[in-house]
Amino acid sequence: QICFMVMWLLIIFNCWFLYIPYLAWMYLDWRTPEQGGRKSTWVQSWTVWKHFNDYFPIRLIKTQDLDPGHNYIFGYHPHGILVAGAFGNFCTSYSDFKKLFPGLSVYSHILPLVFGCPFFREYVLSTGLVSVSRRSVSYVLSKQGGGNVSMIILGGAQEALVSNPGRFTVFIRQRKGFVRLALIHGASLVPLFSFGEIELFKQINNTKGSWLRTIQDIVRKYTGLALPIFYGRGIFQYNFGIMPYRKPIHTVVGRPIHVQQTPHPTPEQVDELHQTYMEELKALFDKHKGKYGIPEHETLTFT
């Protein structure tokens, strides 16, 4: 919002010598979010991100080694409200990712719409985020030599609208594009489950059919953005505010599902691999839920 306001002020006050060159730069740089982005080690190393990771805290857990000679698609679950675990683990220098998985480089994919925002796009790109378009994911997975990871938050905006503490629902049944890309490029699939992600905020009641949910679904349909009305704690009190609750986030990286490269996969091959992925994700959740305070009777629901 601040970045849009700055651009409008530059236009209103006719500061053409500032906004014309920048808009020209945006035009020339338009494809960068689909071509590996432009991460900045300096931005990723800001001290604020250390405090960000320590606040919850955010921790990355490895269950199996990953061969840097292969390319991978990481499927991140659940979406939660703001996907704090994904950002802390894969977009900052204060994660254990490099130590746990040497030789791998992560490209975190988000909505292409974000990269249309003046000025803000430069900040987002500097943290290592790239577009989640098919072209962008294919660019990463087509890199030779291996060691490249496309990290995709598969539940998306639709899942964000149902995120609430204690509700373990992931939207994945109709999301098969990532499986098709894995087959086309021969990239291994790795499910991730971030325990604690849904505990950071609470949402205003927006059950299916309510006027709030109807508006949210309309906005999501036409923009791709979720607009959850959420709240957390205050800065000096724990009852109400915009700060996330201080709950530990443990992002568990599951075992890889090795994929045979298939340039022209059939629907049956996509469905079979998709089913295998869901089974692996459920097994990952069931195996580790007890370690992070989730009762044994809780199950992971696929929608």
Side-chain angles (χ1 to χ4, degrees):
Q1 291 90 337
I2 293 173
C3 292
F4 269 122
M5 182 178 67
V6 169
M7 177 57 74
W8 277 114
L9 287 174
L10 291 176
I11 294 173
I12 290 171
F13 290 101
N14 198 27
C15 298
W16 60 267
F17 52 91
L18 293 176
Y19 72 79
I20 292 296
Y22 179 73
L23 291 176
W25 160 255
M26 277 189 66
Y27 175 78
L28 295 173
D29 193 55
W30 194 253
R31 292 298 181 190
T32 296
E34 293 186 333
Q35 297 175 344
R38 185 173 51 246
K39 70 175 64 176
S40 165
T41 303
W42 175 67
V43 173
Q44 292 181 321
S45 300
W46 283 353
T47 304
V48 67
W49 304 136
K50 180 181 186 301
H51 297 306
F52 176 83
N53 279 18
D54 290 344
Y55 171 80
F56 299 100
I58 297 172
R59 296 291 182 262
L60 191 66
I61 292 88
K62 179 176 76 171
T63 61
Q64 192 168 322
D65 290 334
L66 297 181
D67 183 358
H70 294 167
N71 289 333
Y72 299 89
I73 293 180
F74 281 7
Y76 186 93
H77 311 270
H79 186 287
I81 298 293
L82 296 180
V83 212
F87 183 85
N89 279 312
F90 304 115
C91 298
T92 76
S93 298
Y94 299 99
S95 161
D96 288 333
F97 181 80
K98 289 293 184 184
K99 181 173 68 176
L100 295 175
F101 302 103
L104 296 185
S105 298
V106 179
Y107 298 81
S108 301
H109 298 269
I110 61 172
L111 281 175
L113 182 67
V114 174
F115 299 100
C117 178
F119 305 120
F120 186 67
R121 72 186 297 274
E122 316 306 333
Y123 164 68
V124 168
L125 282 168
S126 68
T127 63
L129 294 166
V130 294
S131 171
V132 76
S133 68
R134 182 184 298 270
R135 186 196 301 265
S136 177
V137 177
S138 293
Y139 179 89
V140 173
L141 300 180
S142 296
K143 288 190 170 187
Q144 300 299 313
N148 303 292
V149 179
S150 276
M151 196 279 293
I152 307 174
I153 304 150
L154 294 171
Q158 192 174 10
E159 191 174 294
L161 292 177
V162 302
S163 176
N164 265 305
R167 183 170 182 176
F168 303 101
T169 302
V170 294
F171 283 71
I172 192 174
R173 290 197 182 278
Q174 302 305 317
R175 287 163 165 74
K176 300 180 181 181
F178 75 103
V179 174
R180 179 176 293 278
L181 286 172
L183 284 164
I184 291 173
H185 297 284
S188 298
L189 289 171
V190 183
L192 280 66
F193 198 91
S194 202
F195 295 92
E197 188 73 60
I198 61 174
E199 307 295 328
L200 308 185
F201 296 99
K202 296 177 181 177
Q203 274 196 77
I204 301 297
N205 183 36
N206 65 338
T207 53
K208 198 71 176 176
S210 66
W211 66 268
L212 176 58
R213 184 62 173 277
T214 300
I215 293 173
Q216 290 172 327
D217 284 340
I218 291 172
V219 172
R220 180 183 59 81
K221 178 180 178 181
Y222 290 102
T223 68
L225 294 173
L227 292 178
I229 310 300
F230 60 90
Y231 63 93
R233 54 162 288 188
I235 297 176
F236 301 110
Q237 46 77 29
Y238 288 85
N239 297 323
F240 186 84
I242 60 171
M243 290 279 288
Y245 292 110
R246 197 169 189 180
K247 302 287 186 178
I249 300 173
H250 295 91
T251 303
V252 183
V253 182
R255 65 180 183 179
I257 303 167
H258 296 293
V259 178
Q260 180 67 39
Q261 186 170 13
T262 309
H264 304 287
T266 65
E268 291 75 21
Q269 290 173 312
V270 171
D271 289 343
E272 181 181 357
L273 182 56
H274 186 259
Q275 182 62 36
T276 301
Y277 179 86
M278 290 196 296
E279 291 170 359
E280 284 290 333
L281 177 60
K282 187 178 187 307
L284 180 70
F285 175 81
D286 290 338
K287 181 177 180 179
H288 295 276
K289 63 185 178 182
K291 301 175 186 177
Y292 305 113
I294 299 173
E296 286 300 320
H297 68 269
E298 291 286 358
T299 60
L300 188 62
T301 302
F302 295 128
T303 300

